[in-house]
Amino acid sequence: MAATVDDLLRLEMPAGEKRIIAEYIWVGGSGLDLRSKPRTLTGPVKSVSELPKWNYDGSSTGQAPGEDSEVILYPQAIFRDPFRGGDNILVMCDCYTPQGEPIPTNTRYAANKLFQQALETEPWFGLEQEYTLLEKEHKWPLGWPVNGYPGAQGPYYCGVGADKAWGRRIVDAHYKACVYAGITISGTNGEVMPGQWEFQVGPAVGIAAGDELWVARYLLERITELEGVILSLDPKPVEGDWNGAGCHCNFSTKAMREDGGWEVIMEGVKNLELRHKEHIKAYGEGNERRLTGRHETASMDRFSWAVASRGTSVRIGRDTEAKKKGYMEDRRPASNMDPYVVTSLVFDTTTLWKPL
C-alpha cells in the first residue's frame, strides 16, 4: 500500500541519522503574529549556544523595508518539538538588524535588560492565558449556534459535557504538547464564556516567562491549524453580556515570598497604582472593551486592589493575606498582551522603580 501523508509525518528517523529539524520561531511585525520556519542541523542540540543565527525577509513581515529586508534571528530558548518528536527542537528567537541592533518590534531585548539588573530578586511569574476558539467559516465561537447565542453564562466555567465544553480535544492536545516541549504549564480550565479556555504558564523566572508563553501560544496556533479552528486572543470577542479574555499576571519576588513579604507586596501595589495609566497603555490593544468594571474586571479608569476580589485591578489571595507573604495578581492585562512587555513592566514598577 502506498504511503499516505500521515504515514510520512509519523516517520521515525533511520538509526544513526544525525540530522535534526530545528523550527525557528519569532514574533512578527504586528507584535502578536507568530512566524516560523524550519532548518536542518546536526544534532542533538543541547544548548542554545550551539545554534547558528539565521535570517528572514523582514519586508514580508512588516519589520524591514524592501531595499534592506534582511532581519537576523538570534536563538534564545530551546524546547522539544512535540510535532516531530525525537531530537527535533523548537527555537524561540528574537530579531536584530545585520548590524546587531534589536529591531523596533523586539520587545524581548529591553525586557531582558531589565531582568538582568536584579537577578538576585528571583522574579517569578504565573501567566493565565485566556483564549477563544472560533469556528473557521463564520469566525464565531466554537459550539455556538450560527448567528446565534448559547444559554447564558453559568454552567460553562470548568464545565463537563457536550452541552458545556466545546473544544476540549484541542485543549488536551495543547496541554500534553506543552508538557512534552518542556514548558512549565501548570494547568488549564474551561472559562466562563462557552468556547473560551485558559491555560497557565509558571512559575517561570524572569525572561523565561515570556519565552514560554510565546512558545505555548505557538503550539496552540499549530494545533488549532491542524483542527481547522481559529485561535482568537481578542480581549472581547463577543460584545454584550459575555466575559472577555485576559492574561492575568501573577508575580512575586524572593522578598515577597519570605517572612516580611506582606510589606513588600503592599509597596509594589502602591507603585502599580502610581503608574496605572502607563500600565494600561501597555496591557493590550482593545482592552478598553474588556476593562469595564463588569464581568470580573475593574474599570480601566481607576486603580483598585483587594483581597480575593475578582473585580479589582490587583487581587491578593486569601493564602497570601493569611501567611503575610506570597504573591499578587495583576488582572488588567488583556489576552493579546505581549508577555515580554507586561512581565518586565510589572517587575520594573514593583521592584526597580522608586517614586520620587
Side-chain angles (χ1 to χ4, degrees):
M1 182 182 293
T4 67
V5 170
D6 285 340
D7 292 332
L8 295 173
L9 288 170
R10 287 192 291 265
L11 272 180
E12 296 290 337
M13 290 296 178
E17 177 60 72
K18 297 297 185 184
R19 291 173 296 176
I20 66 163
I21 300 172
E23 189 82 27
Y24 279 44
I25 304 166
W26 69 96
V27 181
S30 74
L32 188 62
D33 58 316
L34 283 161
R35 309 288 179 124
S36 76
K37 60 176 182 173
R39 67 181 300 175
T40 306
L41 298 173
T42 301
V45 174
K46 300 298 184 183
S47 167
V48 74
S49 63
E50 301 173 39
L51 292 168
K53 297 173 185 175
W54 205 10
N55 64 76
Y56 67 94
D57 171 18
S59 69
S60 296
T61 63
Q63 293 171 295
E67 63 273 12
D68 187 14
S69 65
E70 193 166 288
V71 178
I72 313 301
L73 292 168
Y74 284 34
Q76 298 293 356
I78 297 175
F79 301 86
R80 293 182 290 270
D81 186 343
F83 301 106
R84 298 187 177 104
D87 290 328
N88 302 301
I89 55 175
L90 305 175
V91 184
M92 189 65 206
C93 305
D94 60 354
C95 307
Y96 296 80
T97 68
Q99 293 74 38
E101 295 296 321
I103 65 172
T105 54
N106 181 354
T107 56
R108 187 188 192 279
Y109 178 81
N112 196 40
K113 282 185 68 175
L114 279 173
F115 288 125
Q116 292 296 323
Q117 290 182 34
L119 293 175
E120 71 281 357
T121 62
E122 298 180 18
W124 288 6
F125 295 94
L127 302 175
E128 304 176 34
Q129 177 67 71
E130 296 177 343
Y131 61 93
T132 309
L133 299 174
L134 304 181
E135 186 268 331
K136 186 177 179 180
E137 183 178 354
H138 301 95
K139 296 185 179 179
W140 198 235
L142 204 64
W144 289 35
V146 176
N147 298 321
Y149 299 89
Q153 295 182 156
Y156 309 109
Y157 173 70
C158 297
V160 178
D163 58 342
K164 305 177 192 71
W166 303 318
R168 191 183 298 276
R169 172 185 167 91
I170 291 170
V171 173
D172 285 351
H174 177 251
Y175 200 161
K176 293 185 73 174
C178 285
V179 171
Y180 181 94
I183 293 167
T184 54
I185 186 168
S186 53
T188 187
N189 58 268
E191 267 303 331
V192 176
M193 189 185 90
Q196 191 178 92
W197 296 81
E198 173 187 304
F199 66 89
Q200 303 94 34
V201 168
V205 183
I207 199 67
D211 290 339
E212 292 192 20
L213 188 68
W214 275 120
V215 175
R217 285 175 173 178
Y218 172 81
L219 294 176
L220 189 54
E221 287 274 21
R222 287 283 305 274
I223 292 166
T224 52
E225 172 190 320
L226 291 171
E227 290 292 288
V229 171
I230 295 173
L231 168 64
S232 171
L233 297 183
D234 189 317
K236 187 71 173 178
V238 181
E239 296 299 325
D241 195 16
W242 304 97
N243 275 34
C247 192
H248 304 159
C249 178
N250 298 275
F251 172 71
S252 69
T253 59
K254 184 179 180 182
M256 293 177 184
R257 297 187 295 270
E258 294 179 341
D259 290 344
W262 182 261
E263 288 73 22
V264 183
I265 292 169
M266 288 298 100
E267 183 178 343
V269 170
K270 191 180 300 182
N271 284 4
L272 288 171
E273 181 174 12
L274 292 172
R275 297 178 92 178
H276 176 64
K277 290 183 179 179
E278 182 179 340
H279 280 250
I280 289 295
K281 289 178 181 177
Y283 275 7
E285 187 176 347
N287 209 14
E288 71 282 353
R289 294 182 286 117
R290 168 180 164 263
L291 294 181
T292 62
R294 300 182 63 217
H295 305 111
E296 301 183 56
T297 71
S299 169
M300 67 184 298
D301 298 322
R302 184 176 64 87
F303 181 88
S304 59
W305 77 272
V307 173
S309 173
R310 284 176 163 76
T312 55
S313 308
V314 171
R315 182 181 72 92
I316 306 294
R318 291 284 186 201
D319 196 50
T320 295
E321 181 192 36
K323 294 180 178 179
K324 299 302 178 185
K325 59 183 178 181
Y327 69 97
M328 66 177 74
E329 177 193 21
D330 190 337
R331 299 178 56 81
R332 296 170 295 174
S335 51
N336 59 2
M337 63 81 152
D338 181 336
Y340 294 137
V341 171
V342 168
T343 56
S344 61
L345 184 56
V346 169
F347 175 66
D348 182 33
T349 296
T350 60
T351 310
L352 301 179
W353 182 68
K354 303 300 179 186
L356 296 176

